[in-house]
């Protein structure tokens, strides 16, 4: 089949998810335009990204080891350390885009401001340059670590309150030397920032405020990267979880041994955070712990146990909202609690030409998650995969949701939690099932290409070269 007979696709975003999806479309000769708000690829991994959306800080190293984040057909450099710096990842994504000739297909500094599905089911996509084009399918790859979730504390605060998204280093955006700092939250950013600021030459006093204790995992177990330690594939999920929990207990011991609050759940019943450095800094007594913030009282912060502290800076490492500012259809907007159930973490059953890629908290890696998802997208758009019925998709979503509810405690952090390896195996099985359904309808296209007839502007190859 040629590109003129295949559906025309719009890809929103050229972060890791967008570029791997774009490459897959290119491989299958599927016509597409990829819109990127920034002046380069890389998304989150572009430090001080001019799009203002990157939460990257100066000292950030990825928590996923290099072999787990590697893209399938583009090996990471041999000389990389196990946990590369953000600048190395940024270069890797730039090299990937160059190697596969993707830059010519990306419209840089072009933000999608609106995406509306018209009566025919075509996507009418408008960009910040005022242009509108039509597409047969839409791939949303806009990331979910850019719209900060900031707690609404009662009271007034005399100091500076910022979200970890705005944090660059101990001196930027404000000089933290000699300050009393509270870091709220114990996700990976919270642990990194607290470890960095707790050095005696930076903050005068460093508290971590948390509603509940969490398990802080080591990045290495017995000299091997933790994310390369696995259990046999044939283990049933419940047994696999028990074995992994035991490995974590065995490697790290109890959290209170390091001075941390004791978790009220078992390992892996929350999205894990990993940092030997944090455990060490806490063990050295340079990090102290407080429960949740109850109120702001001018120069002081009151905590839920009734204690107060004089505080200069509060850094909220409290996560992100899932946001799609270009959608106005309420059906396509997640609720306040970040709940956004999708078939295979990708599709709303009622929308046969809309895919969300990279919209997951995938363990241990999100970097190459959309690369896997795009296999199903490409097979679908070329007629080699057919979806199950809408009812079957809803049933599959319900089953995943109840499995997640059994493993993880209820929190906006856990609405899109998924394990990478079982997910990839599931996609493989789903592709095989969908291939049979496609064969039964003679491999006809589920989405007929009609968008090109709607536009005077023909499928684009014009782009802003970097
Ligand atoms: C501090 C931090 C640490 C992390 N650590 C890890 C880790 O250890 N391992 C891991 O796997 N992942 C980690 N992540 C997750 C990280 O988000 C993913 O690795 C990866 O960047 C996801 O890629 P993405 O393309 O889906 O999203 P992003 O990287 O966010 O890229 C989205 C792209 O879409 C563009 N865009 C958004 N909206 C529009 C629009 N309307 N129009 C045009 N373009 C648009 C943006 O400009 C951006 O380039 C971390 C994230 C953070 C914030």
């Amino acid at each position: 089949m040629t590109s003129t007979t295949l559906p025309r696709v719009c890809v929103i975003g050229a972060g890791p998810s967008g570029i791997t999806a774009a490459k897959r479309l290119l491989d299958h000769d599927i016509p597409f335009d990829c819109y990127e708000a920034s002046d380069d690829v890389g998304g989150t991994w572009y430090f001080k990204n001019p799009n203002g959306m990157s939460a990257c800080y100066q000292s950030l190293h990825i928590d996923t080891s290099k072999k787990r984040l590697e893209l399938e057909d583009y090996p990471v450099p041999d000389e990389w350390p196990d946990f590369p710096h953000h600048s190395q990842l940024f270069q890797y994504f730039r090299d990937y885009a160059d190697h596969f000739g993707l830059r010519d297909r990306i419209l840089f500094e072009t933000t999608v401001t609106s995406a509306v599905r018209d009566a025919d089911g075509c996507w009418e996509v408008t960009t910040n340059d005022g242009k509108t084009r039509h597409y047969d399918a839409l791939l949303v790859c806009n990331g979910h670590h850019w719209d900060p979730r900031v707690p609404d504390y009662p009271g007034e605060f005399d100091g500076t309150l910022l979200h970890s998204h705005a944090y660059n280093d101990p001196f930027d955006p404000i000089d933290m030397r000699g300050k009393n700092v509270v870091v709220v939250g114990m996700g990976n950013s919270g642990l990194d920032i607290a470890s960095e600021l707790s050095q005696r030459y930076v903050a005068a006093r460093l508290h971590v405020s948390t509603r509940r204790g969490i398990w802080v995992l080591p990045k290495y177990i017995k000299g091997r990267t933790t994310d390369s330690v696995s259990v046999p594939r044939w283990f049933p999920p419940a047994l696999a979880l028990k074995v992994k929990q035991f490995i974590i207990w065995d490697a790290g011991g109890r959290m209170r041994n390091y001075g941390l609050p004791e978790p009220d759940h078992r390992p892996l019943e929350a999205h894990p955070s990993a940092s030997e450095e944090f455990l060490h800094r806490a063990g050295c007594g340079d990090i102290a712990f407080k429960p949740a913030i109850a109120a702001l009282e001018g120069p002081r912060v009151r905590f839920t146990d009734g204690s107060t502290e004089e505080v200069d800076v509060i850094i909220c490492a409290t996560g992100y909202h899932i946001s799609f500012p270009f959608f106005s259809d309420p059906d396509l907007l997640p609720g306040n609690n970040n709940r956004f159930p999708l078939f295979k973490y990708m599709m709303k059953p009622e929308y046969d030409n809309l895919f969300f890629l990279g919209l997951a908290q995938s363990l241990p890696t999100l970097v190459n998650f959309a690369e896997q998802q795009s296999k199903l997208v490409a097979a679908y758009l070329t007629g080699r995969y057919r979806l199950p019925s809408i009812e079957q998709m809803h049933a599959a979503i319900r089953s995943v949701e109840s499995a997640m509810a059994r493993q993880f405690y209820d929190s906006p952090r856990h609405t899109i939690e998924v394990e990478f390896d079982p997910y990839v195996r599931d996609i493989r099985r789903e592709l095989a099932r969908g291939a049979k359904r496609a064969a039964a309808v003679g491999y006809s296209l589920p989405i007929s290409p009609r968008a090109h007839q709607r536009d005077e502007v023909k499928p684009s190859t014009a782009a802003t070269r970097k």
Side-chain angles (χ1 to χ4, degrees):
M1 224 172 284
T2 68
S3 60
T4 49
T5 56
L6 289 174
R8 174 149 55 122
V9 179
C10 170
V11 181
I12 305 180
S17 299
I19 56 172
T20 55
K23 178 190 175 277
R24 187 81 61 197
L25 297 177
L26 204 57
D27 286 348
H28 291 270
D29 208 16
I30 299 169
F32 72 93
D33 289 320
C34 177
Y35 296 100
E36 170 50 55
S38 182
D39 62 1
D40 209 338
V41 300
T44 293
W45 300 102
Y46 181 174
F47 181 52
K48 298 206 170 175
N49 194 322
N51 67 6
M53 294 169 87
S54 169
C56 196
Y57 33 90
Q58 177 68 64
S59 59
L60 178 65
H61 284 254
I62 195 160
D63 288 326
T64 308
S65 68
K66 62 179 176 183
K67 282 295 166 192
R68 295 307 316 259
L69 66 84
E70 180 172 73
L71 295 166
E72 264 183 6
D73 40 12
Y74 198 69
V76 298
D78 284 340
E79 65 275 15
W80 266 15
D82 286 337
F83 299 101
H85 186 242
H86 62 72
S87 55
Q88 292 171 301
L89 281 158
F90 179 44
Q91 192 54 47
Y92 176 65
F93 297 126
R94 301 190 75 208
D95 292 346
Y96 179 91
D98 289 333
H99 183 79
F100 294 112
L102 299 175
R103 283 187 191 276
D104 286 346
R105 308 300 302 273
I106 300 169
L107 292 113
F108 289 102
E109 294 175 311
T110 312
T111 304
V112 171
T113 52
S114 159
V116 178
R117 200 156 89 140
D118 66 16
D120 274 356
C122 270
W123 287 98
E124 195 173 276
V125 172
T126 306
T127 45
N128 61 337
D129 50 11
K131 292 185 181 148
T132 297
R133 297 187 189 98
H134 291 84
Y135 294 92
D136 299 303
L138 185 65
L139 307 193
V140 176
C141 306
N142 72 327
H144 58 90
H145 290 110
W146 58 268
D147 184 6
R149 192 176 333 119
V150 184
D152 187 15
Y153 298 121
E156 296 292 327
F157 184 49
D158 292 348
T160 305
L161 186 147
L162 58 122
H163 191 273
S164 55
H165 188 269
Y167 177 84
N168 289 320
D169 64 44
F171 319 104
D172 180 15
I174 54 167
D175 190 342
M176 308 271 181
R177 280 173 300 185
K179 303 263 168 49
N180 291 332
V181 180
V182 174
V183 175
V184 182
M186 288 179 71
N188 286 306
S189 299
L191 301 192
D192 280 353
I193 294 169
S195 302
E196 182 156 286
L197 298 180
S198 69
Q199 294 287 350
R200 292 289 173 120
Y201 53 85
V202 188
R205 207 152 160 59
L206 192 293
H207 283 96
V208 166
S209 159
T210 180
R211 270 186 297 209
R212 60 209 306 168
I214 63 145
W215 291 90
V216 177
L217 275 48
K219 286 186 183 163
Y220 288 93
I221 294 179
K222 298 193 170 112
R224 287 175 63 197
T225 59
T226 303
D227 61 11
S228 64
V229 177
S230 59
V231 297
R233 278 183 186 188
W234 52 267
F235 273 26
L239 177 63
L241 177 63
K242 286 249 172 304
V243 172
K244 286 187 222 163
Q245 287 172 332
F246 176 77
I247 293 170
I248 291 166
W249 267 316
D250 191 45
R254 304 196 76 113
M255 291 296 104
R256 66 165 176 250
N257 295 350
Y258 305 89
L260 270 62
E262 197 64 12
D264 59 3
H265 54 277
R266 287 183 285 258
L268 302 178
E269 288 178 356
H271 186 80
S273 305
S275 173
E276 280 94 349
E277 196 179 349
F278 182 85
L279 294 175
H280 177 66
R281 308 266 349 118
C284 291
D286 288 347
I287 296 175
F289 291 87
K290 288 283 182 186
I293 292 179
L296 308 176
E297 300 175 348
R300 272 178 304 280
V301 170
R302 180 173 298 281
F303 298 91
T304 51
D305 61 358
S307 65
T308 58
E309 289 289 331
E310 301 273 331
V311 175
D312 302 302
V313 184
I314 301 173
I315 303 176
C316 299
T318 41
Y320 294 88
H321 298 288
I322 297 171
S323 287
F324 311 114
F326 36 83
F327 286 146
S328 48
D329 180 348
D331 231 25
L332 297 178
L333 301 176
N336 282 339
N337 59 0
N338 263 6
R339 198 170 164 269
F340 198 63
L342 298 172
F343 176 64
K344 303 297 170 198
Y345 293 76
M346 261 189 280
M347 292 188 81
K348 279 203 152 266
E350 287 76 16
Y351 292 73
D352 63 358
N353 61 351
L354 171 62
F355 296 85
F356 297 87
L357 301 192
L359 187 52
Q361 285 288 17
S362 166
L363 277 174
T365 171
L366 180 58
V367 167
N368 44 355
F369 190 74
E371 184 189 40
Q372 297 298 320
Q373 295 183 303
S374 63
K375 291 177 183 172
L376 188 143
V377 177
Y380 178 68
L381 294 174
T382 50
R384 293 172 295 113
Y385 168 83
R386 274 269 164 170
L387 289 165
S389 70
I390 290 179
E391 293 70 35
Q392 285 168 325
M393 287 194 268
H394 278 298
I397 290 172
R398 281 194 299 276
S399 143
V400 169
E401 282 205 305
S402 53
M404 286 299 108
R406 281 196 298 277
Q407 182 171 343
F408 296 99
Y409 62 76
D410 187 26
S411 157
R413 273 188 100 197
H414 296 146
T415 52
I416 50 172
E417 203 71 26
V418 63
E419 269 195 84
F420 185 89
D421 294 329
Y423 178 80
V424 171
R425 290 198 288 274
D426 182 45
I427 288 293
R428 231 177 268 144
R429 284 193 294 267
E430 177 56 27
L431 271 168
R433 284 192 292 267
K436 285 190 189 145
R437 292 189 291 263
V441 293
Y443 298 105
S444 60
L445 291 180
I447 304 295
S448 54
R450 57 210 189 285
H452 60 281
Q453 295 156 0
R454 308 283 303 274
D455 287 340
E456 283 162 24
V457 180
K458 292 288 175 258
S460 171
T461 50
T464 314
R465 245 181 215 281
K466 283 291 300 170

